Amino acid sequence: MKKRTMIIVGVIAVVCIGIFVLPSLLGGNKKAGSEKKTVSEDLGIEYFDVPDIEQVYINGVIQPEQAEAFAKDSKMTSTPEIKVKNGDVVEPETELFTYEDKEVTKEIEAQNNTLSKLATKKQNIYNKWNRAIDNFNKAKEEERNTTGAAINEQHQAEIDGVDEEILFSNETIADLTTKQFISTKAKFKGRVSIPEVKDENAPVLRLTSDGLYVAGKVNEKDLMKIAVDQKANLSVVSSGTTVTGKISYIDDNPPEAKADQGENTSGEGTMSTYNVKLALDSLGGIKNGYHMQATINIGDNKPIEVPKKAIHEQDGKKYVLVNDFGSVIRRDVQVGEEKEGSMVINSGLESADRIIVSSKKDVKEGDLIEEDNQGSGEAAPAAKE
């Protein structure tokens, strides 16, 4: 009897342990708190859906309209004398730097040595001439084998010959002097940049124009969809700064020919790319070397009007919150004309963006929210390329 009782008590103990311990082992006692949590409650979010239009994306880099790096010349055997300062904005024909061509300097020195020798030679002729005249005057008339006029003519001819050599050397020196110091001048208006490190490969200085543009590439699939003067919305990849602009140039030829004999002609594989330039309407927050992404809307370029209450501002930048497939993200935008209850968005939005206009509770960047497609009666927008 006692044995039976002990078995029953043991079974009951095992069941109790299972009731309390198993949920913990199966994760039923998880700790709350994570960096991002999905909000499953009804937030009553009101959306504005950006029209789903075809777009072409162009990635590029900011470059100056004109730039020149002045490399060290092979004749530059001396340290250049820089005539400008780092950061100076110079006009065309401004002297940037000069340097001495020491080979030319050697030729000038050689010509100067020649001049010294010619001067000595000329003086010796005069001395010889004077002695000849003295000897002529001292000699008796019957002992003279020549005339004074003949003596003068002979020595004057020698002086004239030396003078010709002197004239030639002086002309040579004058010509060489113009080549002795080589002056380099600016070909366009630009800003001077002088490298801090003076190594062998560093240029003497660089000159870049203040005007900037975006140098990008477009693939052959999108080439025929775009045109010069087409408007573009551009954003800085690193900061999100947005500006407007337009296509200013499209190259008709790819940078490098890829038409090899074994190339795949079925339409698959690598496509050719073509150089594209985009002009910017504003350079605020833009610097040389920044990476940019341009968005070209194909077809209807009707401006997008977003409800004014959907636009927020922080640190002087305007932005909207977008439900990006359940994740709340921020898009910096450039606004244009203000209308009754709405504002025109010039740049910053993407096709089919779901902009959060309002909600019952605050929604912030980084929140994860459940997709609610029933509110709009539409399916979730397709993924953007």
Side-chain angles (χ1 to χ4, degrees):
M1 185 70 180
K2 289 182 179 180
K3 185 176 181 181
R4 184 177 179 185
T5 302
M6 290 177 65
I7 293 172
I8 293 172
V9 171
V11 170
I12 293 172
V14 170
V15 171
C16 290
I17 291 172
I19 291 173
F20 290 102
V21 175
L22 283 177
S24 298
L25 296 175
L26 295 175
N29 217 10
K30 289 183 180 177
K31 292 183 179 179
S34 60
E35 292 184 3
K36 297 180 182 178
K37 60 181 181 179
T38 301
V39 181
S40 59
E41 60 184 302
D42 180 15
L43 297 176
I45 297 177
E46 176 190 353
Y47 290 105
F48 173 84
D49 293 324
V50 175
D52 189 2
I53 58 177
E54 184 181 4
Q55 295 178 315
V56 170
Y57 298 97
I58 300 175
N59 293 316
V61 179
I62 293 291
Q63 294 184 3
E65 291 177 352
Q66 290 180 287
E68 187 172 4
F70 296 90
K72 294 178 180 177
D73 193 279
S74 58
K75 297 180 180 179
M76 201 179 296
T77 54
S78 62
T79 302
E81 182 182 356
I82 299 177
K83 303 289 187 178
V84 291
K85 296 178 181 179
N86 189 49
D88 282 355
V89 176
V90 299
E91 297 293 332
E93 296 302 313
T94 300
E95 189 174 51
L96 301 175
F97 63 92
T98 61
Y99 66 91
E100 181 183 5
D101 187 338
K102 292 195 173 181
E103 292 298 322
V104 174
T105 300
K106 287 180 181 179
E107 291 184 40
I108 292 174
E109 291 174 354
Q111 289 297 327
N112 282 323
N113 289 335
T114 299
L115 281 177
S116 296
K117 292 177 181 179
L118 290 172
T120 300
K121 182 179 180 180
K122 185 174 180 179
Q123 186 59 49
N124 289 337
I125 293 172
Y126 274 121
N127 292 337
K128 181 181 175 183
W129 191 352
N130 290 330
R131 286 196 301 270
I133 293 296
D134 288 342
N135 292 334
F136 176 83
N137 292 331
K138 291 177 181 178
K140 295 178 180 179
E141 187 173 349
E142 62 272 10
E143 294 177 352
R144 295 172 182 171
N145 55 8
T146 184
T147 64
I151 293 173
N152 290 338
E153 184 179 352
Q154 175 189 349
H155 288 87
Q156 184 62 54
E158 292 180 13
I159 292 295
D160 290 343
V162 173
D163 283 341
E164 286 184 9
E165 293 183 65
I166 291 173
L167 178 62
F168 177 78
S169 287
N170 281 324
E171 289 176 346
T172 301
I173 289 172
D175 181 58
L176 290 172
T177 301
T178 63
K179 303 173 184 178
Q180 183 180 13
F181 293 95
I182 299 174
S183 174
T184 301
K185 298 181 179 180
K187 298 177 183 176
F188 54 87
K189 182 178 179 179
R191 188 177 300 275
V192 174
S193 174
I194 302 174
E196 184 177 358
V197 179
K198 308 291 185 182
D199 59 27
E200 293 181 357
N201 298 321
V204 178
L205 57 81
R206 293 184 179 89
L207 188 65
T208 56
S209 63
D210 286 337
L212 302 173
Y213 72 94
V214 178
K217 293 183 182 296
V218 65
N219 62 44
E220 62 188 62
K221 181 180 70 174
D222 294 330
L223 179 65
M224 302 307 295
K225 299 177 183 178
I226 61 174
V228 172
D229 291 332
Q230 202 165 15
K231 292 183 178 180
N233 298 322
L234 303 102
S235 63
V236 180
V237 174
S238 59
S239 65
T241 300
T242 58
V243 294
T244 56
K246 65 179 181 179
I247 298 174
S248 60
Y249 171 78
I250 302 173
D251 199 338
D252 289 332
N253 301 295
E256 296 180 3
K258 296 184 178 180
D260 297 331
Q261 291 182 352
E263 185 178 6
N264 187 344
T265 58
S266 62
E268 301 178 355
T270 304
M271 290 187 289
S272 294
T273 58
Y274 297 78
N275 291 327
V276 178
K277 292 183 179 180
L278 298 106
L280 302 171
D281 294 333
S282 170
L283 296 178
I286 307 295
K287 288 202 175 285
N288 183 18
Y290 277 12
H291 285 72
M292 304 282 290
Q293 184 183 66
T295 304
I296 314 294
N297 293 333
I298 307 301
D300 186 11
N301 284 323
K302 184 179 179 181
I304 300 172
E305 297 180 23
V306 173
K308 190 175 178 180
K309 59 183 179 180
I311 300 172
H312 311 279
E313 185 170 354
Q314 182 181 17
D315 299 329
K317 288 186 177 181
K318 289 184 169 56
Y319 68 93
V320 296
L321 294 176
V322 173
N323 181 351
D324 192 46
F325 305 103
S327 178
V328 179
I329 64 173
R330 166 176 166 164
R331 291 207 193 281
D332 291 335
V333 295
Q334 270 199 343
V335 300
E337 181 183 0
E338 182 176 349
K339 298 188 176 181
E340 185 177 355
S342 65
M343 296 193 78
V344 172
I345 303 298
N346 291 331
S347 66
L349 297 178
E350 294 186 4
S351 174
D353 271 345
R354 298 196 73 200
I355 299 173
I356 298 174
V357 178
S358 64
S359 60
K360 291 179 181 178
K361 292 188 176 181
D362 286 340
V363 176
K364 62 183 182 299
E365 181 183 9
D367 283 349
L368 300 177
I369 58 178
E370 289 186 347
E371 287 286 341
D372 180 14
N373 299 322
Q374 294 180 352
S376 63
E378 298 177 357
K384 295 182 280 292
E385 293 181 1

